[in-house]
Structure formats: C-alpha cells, structure tokens
C-alpha cells in the first residue's frame, strides 16, 4: 500500500541496494528484467583467463600454495611436452564441470631462446678467447653496468647496450662486431652459431619434479562439492601416463590441512561441554537431554545458512562449535526450571500421580517462559548486529554469527516444546519403576499373624 511506501523505503525495503561481489563480477538482473554485464564478460581478452580473488586472499594463497585461484591442478612428471599436453587436457575437462568460470593451463612450452654457440677454433684464429666474445655479447645484447649515478641520497646503476633495432633480430645480432688484438673487427656470425630454438618459457618444479599448473576459478558453489565433481570428471576422462602424478591445490589444500584441526577442536569442545554438564547436573540422563538440543540447532543453522546463500567455510565451522555451547547454556536453564518444579512438588507431597507430574512440568515449563526467553534474547541481541556489520572482517563475522542465530531459534523452540515431553517420559518411567519396587517389597513382607515352625509349634509375628 502507498501509506507503507515511505516507512518501508527507509527501513526494510529501499529502492536501491548495493550489489554483491558475485553480481559485480558475473552480472545481475534488475526487477524489471534489465540485465547488466559483469566484469568477467566485459574484461575479456583472447588467450587470457579471468580470476577474481581479493588482493589479500590472492597473496595468502600465493604464499601458502603458489596457486592464485581458489582451485589449482598440479601435474608433475619428467617430460615438459607431455606435461603441457596433460595440462591442456585437464583444463578442457574441468571447464565442463558445473560452476567453472575459467580454467587456464600454464604453458610449459612455447618460449623461444636465442643461443649463441661460440666456435672456439674460429675465435682462436683471430686471437680471441671465449671470454672476449662473451664480453661483447653481454655489453651489446644484455647490457653492462659501466657506472653509477648519484642523485642526492639515491644511487642508480647505468647500463649500456645496443639500441633495440640493432639487437631485435638474429640477422642483426650476427652483424655485431668483435674487436681483435690486431685491431680488426669480426662479426659475431663468423665466431659463433646464432640459432633460435623453442623451449619452456619457465620451468616449475615441486618435490624435485618438473610440473605444469592449471588455474581454475568457479562461482555459485561451495568448494567441497565443486572439488568432488571436478575430481570425478578428471578420474573418468584424463589418463595419466606412468611416471606422472596429479595433485589438487589452492584453497582445497588449505581446507584439507584445516579439516583435521577442525575435527580436533570440535571434539575437544564437545567433550568439554559434556564434562561440564555432567559436573553441573551429576546425572548422565540430564546431560543427554541437554545435548538433544544440538541436532535441532544444527537444523536451524543449516536452513539459515541456505537462506543467506553462505557456503561451508572455516568461519561457519567456528560458528557451529560456538552454537553447541549456547545450546548447553539454554538447555540447562530449561532443565533447571523443570527440576526445581519437580522437586518442589515432591517436597510438598504433591507427586502422587501422573496428573501431579504433568502439573509440575507445566509449572516449570509454561510459567517460566519469560526468563528462558530473556536468556535466548540476550544472545540474539548480541549477535544480530553482526549481520549488518561492514568493513574489514565483516564477511567472516557474519558467517560465524549466522549458524548461531539460526540454531538458537530452532533449539529454543525444541526446548519449549520437546524438553517437557522428554522430561515427562523420563520422570514417569522413574516414578513407575520406583512404584513397582515398593509393591514388590510390600508383597515380600508377610501379614501380621502366626507362623508355623514345622514341629507343631506356632510363633506370633
């Protein structure tokens, strides 16, 4: 309605919104159907592949794994030509995986080298040695440092070499003159064989083996599922010759290294929560009941992550570990009120029947909603502002807070609705067992009267 336009426009439903990073890179579509191209399609150059990591992320990946993109493929073996062929095939295969935006195979072959092989016999005829010819090659083509210029507190080396038009062609290089001890000038073409040979532009090595790398970038998927599909496609379609190996690198390598740490951290946190709960309640039954909130909270956490479009990451794992602690906090408060009501009814002699048990649970669950709601609300109020945080580190903090918010909501509903039922079943079973035990004891005691001794005599009881 028009009367809601102004308040909604300035609060929850503005006319404009900031575009996300994925929209900036891959494009977006307005509500009226207008499409906008992203940087990935606008900045497209033949022979080059785009990758869009953040600058700090790019440097971190380069320092840790050497791969600039989120996913990298390292193929290692003895022959550079075979490595180049395998890398090209791997890039073609990975482009067919859903979510791939670019896959670029680094060229291990395709470079050219100008080799000058000095003829020692020919140089000796003119009274020259190999060093004399190499000095001319260095000063004419590569450049030789002749002096240093001093400009205030700064010093700069001065190199001298031939102009580009005299050294950019093999035929021109053959005409470079070399001075002999007799004063004659002999062209280098008469003293050395000048040839242009193909070769690798750069040779990478890892674990003492030559390697070829494939840089892969993807979007719209989490790293784990994308790697599973890519590895499956590579196993089915790429034949690795004997003596060659394929390894996955990039962020995947970092995730593998951190997975073991996450498992250890999660196990330690869960064990600490269990021990603290048992120390507080002195009952394994109460501990198990409190821990039942964890599966319910995980359901809410996963739904909330799905609604926000967040993928699985280390920050999400940290949020889930913290969520387990919040579940224990809210669950033990609920169980505390149920226990207090039960013990109070029992002390007052009002715990004689199943109806008394239901009234005690009703008193502990329904009449204590306010303090339990305030406990959960305090956690919500503390975490909710993180979802609107901006600036450095805001993306990480949102992914830590998101599973905690979603999990708190579902675990709170579970504690209000399911905990009283579980408590009722557990206490009812215990009361029923105690009642049967008392009946057996009473039946085992004979009624007051006389007991025969077996010899005709009787005795009073």
């Amino acid at each position: 309605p028009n009367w809601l336009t102004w308040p909604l426009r300035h609060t929850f439903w503005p006319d404009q919104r900031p575009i996300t990073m994925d929209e900036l890179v891959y494009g977006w579509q307005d509500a009226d159907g207008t499409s906008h191209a992203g940087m990935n399609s606008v900045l497209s150059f033949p022979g080059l592949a785009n990758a869009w990591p953040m600058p700090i992320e790019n440097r971190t990946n380069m320092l840790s794994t050497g791969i600039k993109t989120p996913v990298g493929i390292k193929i290692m073996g003895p022959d550079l030509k075979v490595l180049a062929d395998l890398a090209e095939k791997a890039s073609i295969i990975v482009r067919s995986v859903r979510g791939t935006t670019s896959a670029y195979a680094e060229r291990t072959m395709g470079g050219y080298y100008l080799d000058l092989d000095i003829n020692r016999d020919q140089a000796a005829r003119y009274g020259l040695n190999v060093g004399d010819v190499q000095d001319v090659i260095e000063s004419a083509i590569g450049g030789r440092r002749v002096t240093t210029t001093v400009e205030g507190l700064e010093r700069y080396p001065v190199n001298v070499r031939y102009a580009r038009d005299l050294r950019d062609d093999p035929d021109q290089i053959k005409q470079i003159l070399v001075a002999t001890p007799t004063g004659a000038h002999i062209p280098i073409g008469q003293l050395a064989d000048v040839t242009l040979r193909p070769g690798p532009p750069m040779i990478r090595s890892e674990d003492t083996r030559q390697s070829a790398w494939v840089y892969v970038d993807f979007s719209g998927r989490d790293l784990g599922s994308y790697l599973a599909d890519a590895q499956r496609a590579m196993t089915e379609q790429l034949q690795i010759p004997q003596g060659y190996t394929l390894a996955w690198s990039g962020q995947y390598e970092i995730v593998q290294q951190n997975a073991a740490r996450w498992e250890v951290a999660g196990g330690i946190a869960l064990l600490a929560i269990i021990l603290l709960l048992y120390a507080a309640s002195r009952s394994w039954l109460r501990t198990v009941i409190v821990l039942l909130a964890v599966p319910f909270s995980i359901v809410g956490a996963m739904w909330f992550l799905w609604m926000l479009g967040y993928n699985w990451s280390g920050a999400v794992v940290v949020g889930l570990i913290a969520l387990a602690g919040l579940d224990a906090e809210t669950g033990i408060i609920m169980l505390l009120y149920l226990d207090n009501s039960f013990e109070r009814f029992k002390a007052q002699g009002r715990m004689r029947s199943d109806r008394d048990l239901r009234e005690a649970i009703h008193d502990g669950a329904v009449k204590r909603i306010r303090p339990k709601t305030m406990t959960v609300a305090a956690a919500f109020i503390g975490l909710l502002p993180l979802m609107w945080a901006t600036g450095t580190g805001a993306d990480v903090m949102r992914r830590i807070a998101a599973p905690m918010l979603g999990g708190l909501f579902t675990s709170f509903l579970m504690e209000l609705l399911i905990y009283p039922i579980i408590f009722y079943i557990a206490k009812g079973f215990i009361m029923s067992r105690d009642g049967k035990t008392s009946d057996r004891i009473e039946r085992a005691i004979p009624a007051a009267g006389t007991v025969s001794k077996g010899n005709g005599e009787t005795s009073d009881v």
Side-chain angles (χ1 to χ4, degrees), residues 177-191:
L177 300 177
V178 180
T180 64
T182 61
H185 291 78
I186 309 300
I188 286 183
Q190 296 183 17
L191 304 174

Side-chain angles (χ1 to χ4, degrees), residues 19-48:
I19 61 175
T20 63
M21 184 63 186
D22 286 340
E23 291 174 335
L24 176 64
V25 173
Y26 303 108
W28 71 95
Q29 190 173 14
D30 293 335
D32 58 0
T34 304
S35 297
H36 301 271
M39 292 192 301
N40 193 56
S41 57
V42 175
L43 302 176
S44 179
F45 299 94
L48 298 177

Side-chain angles (χ1 to χ4, degrees), residues 61-91:
N61 292 339
M62 282 290 295
L63 291 173
S64 58
T65 64
I67 299 293
K68 304 175 185 178
T69 52
V71 178
I73 304 173
K74 297 179 179 179
I75 305 175
M76 291 165 281
D79 192 341
L80 288 174
K81 292 184 178 179
V82 178
L83 289 175
D85 182 62
L86 291 174
E88 186 63 31
K89 291 180 179 178
S91 65

Side-chain angles (χ1 to χ4, degrees), residues 22 26 98-101 217-223 225-226 309 311:
D22 286 340
Y26 303 108
R98 182 176 62 87
T100 303
T101 57
D217 194 10
F218 68 95
S219 65
R221 300 185 61 180
D222 65 287
L223 182 60
S225 64
Y226 177 82
N311 293 324

Side-chain angles (χ1 to χ4, degrees), residues 323-448:
L323 175 62
L326 289 176
D327 290 339
E329 175 189 355
T330 57
I332 201 169
I333 290 176
M334 181 67 176
L335 196 61
L336 176 64
Y337 282 115
L338 293 174
D339 260 336
N340 289 343
S341 294
F342 179 82
E343 295 298 333
R344 189 174 70 255
F345 274 57
K346 188 176 181 180
Q348 295 174 357
R350 299 167 56 188
M351 196 57 62
R352 299 188 185 92
S353 63
D354 184 75
R355 181 177 180 180
D356 294 335
L357 176 61
R358 287 198 300 268
E359 290 180 357
I361 294 175
H362 181 272
D363 179 79
V366 177
K367 295 184 178 180
R368 299 294 185 271
I369 290 180
R370 181 181 296 176
K372 288 174 285 191
T373 304
M374 291 176 63
T375 303
V376 176
F380 261 91
I381 294 171
L383 294 171
L384 200 59
L386 295 177
M387 302 306 298
W388 285 277
T390 58
T392 305
D395 290 341
V396 176
M397 295 307 300
R398 283 198 294 267
R399 282 156 178 80
I400 294 177
M404 299 170 68
L405 289 171
L408 274 176
F409 180 75
T410 53
S411 66
F412 180 57
L413 293 180
M414 179 264 183
E415 291 163 6
L416 291 179
L417 301 176
I418 309 299
Y419 265 23
I421 299 174
I422 297 175
F423 190 84
Y424 171 78
I425 294 173
K427 288 298 183 180
F429 174 78
I430 294 174
M431 291 175 60
S432 175
R433 183 190 61 185
D434 294 343
K436 291 179 180 179
T437 302
S438 300
D439 292 343
R440 287 197 300 268
I441 293 174
E442 291 177 0
R443 286 196 298 269
I445 298 176

Side-chain angles (χ1 to χ4, degrees), residues 114-120 137 188 191-195 197:
L114 184 67
D115 293 340
L116 288 88
D117 188 8
I118 299 174
N119 190 326
R120 296 173 181 266
I137 294 173
I188 286 183
L191 304 174
D193 297 328
V194 182
T195 55
R197 293 192 178 98

Side-chain angles (χ1 to χ4, degrees), residues 165-182:
D165 56 350
L166 299 178
R167 56 181 171 82
D168 62 353
D169 184 78
D171 293 332
Q172 294 287 344
I173 292 175
K174 292 179 182 179
Q175 303 303 319
I176 295 175
L177 300 177
V178 180
T180 64
T182 61

